[in-house]
Amino acid sequence: MAGFAAATTGYQVLTTSVTPAVVDYPLDTNAKVTVQQATAENPTAVVTVTAPDGTVKAYRLDFSTGKDACRNGGWKTSPSPHFGNQGECVSYFAAGK
């Protein structure tokens, strides 16, 4: 999956949407991908990938909104949008993007 590291199964994703849609396509066309979407009550999406050999791996995307999510290194863990530093992250939310 583009934007994901095989060894990393948990991501903190900063977003302006309370319930962003997650769409994913496997890099291996023989793999199967399912997505459990985040909801307002549960802001975590789970992407489950089943490899052709039957190996299953789940990736959790915990969504956070607002500039407070940029604190304590939160800006470092967002795969998209990607921030170079905490200031870029705070500016992103301050601009209402």
Side-chain angles (χ1 to χ4, degrees), residues 10 24 27 34 48 55 93 97:
D24 208 350
L27 295 177
T34 58
T48 304
T55 303
F93 288 101
K97 295 182 181 179

Side-chain angles (χ1 to χ4, degrees), residues 24-97:
D24 208 350
Y25 302 96
L27 295 177
D28 180 338
T29 57
N30 294 313
K32 179 182 175 191
V33 175
T34 58
V35 179
Q36 176 187 346
Q37 297 292 338
T39 64
E41 297 80 29
N42 179 18
T44 300
V46 179
V47 177
T48 304
V49 179
T50 304
D53 70 359
T55 303
V56 177
K57 192 166 227 178
Y59 298 86
R60 293 177 47 93
L61 294 94
D62 296 312
F63 295 102
S64 297
T65 60
K67 64 183 181 183
D68 288 340
C70 300
R71 293 183 184 177
N72 300 320
W75 61 271
K76 294 178 185 179
T77 61
S78 184
S80 179
H82 177 77
F83 304 105
N85 57 52
Q86 184 174 340
E88 284 181 12
C89 181
V90 171
S91 294
Y92 176 84
F93 288 101
K97 295 182 181 179

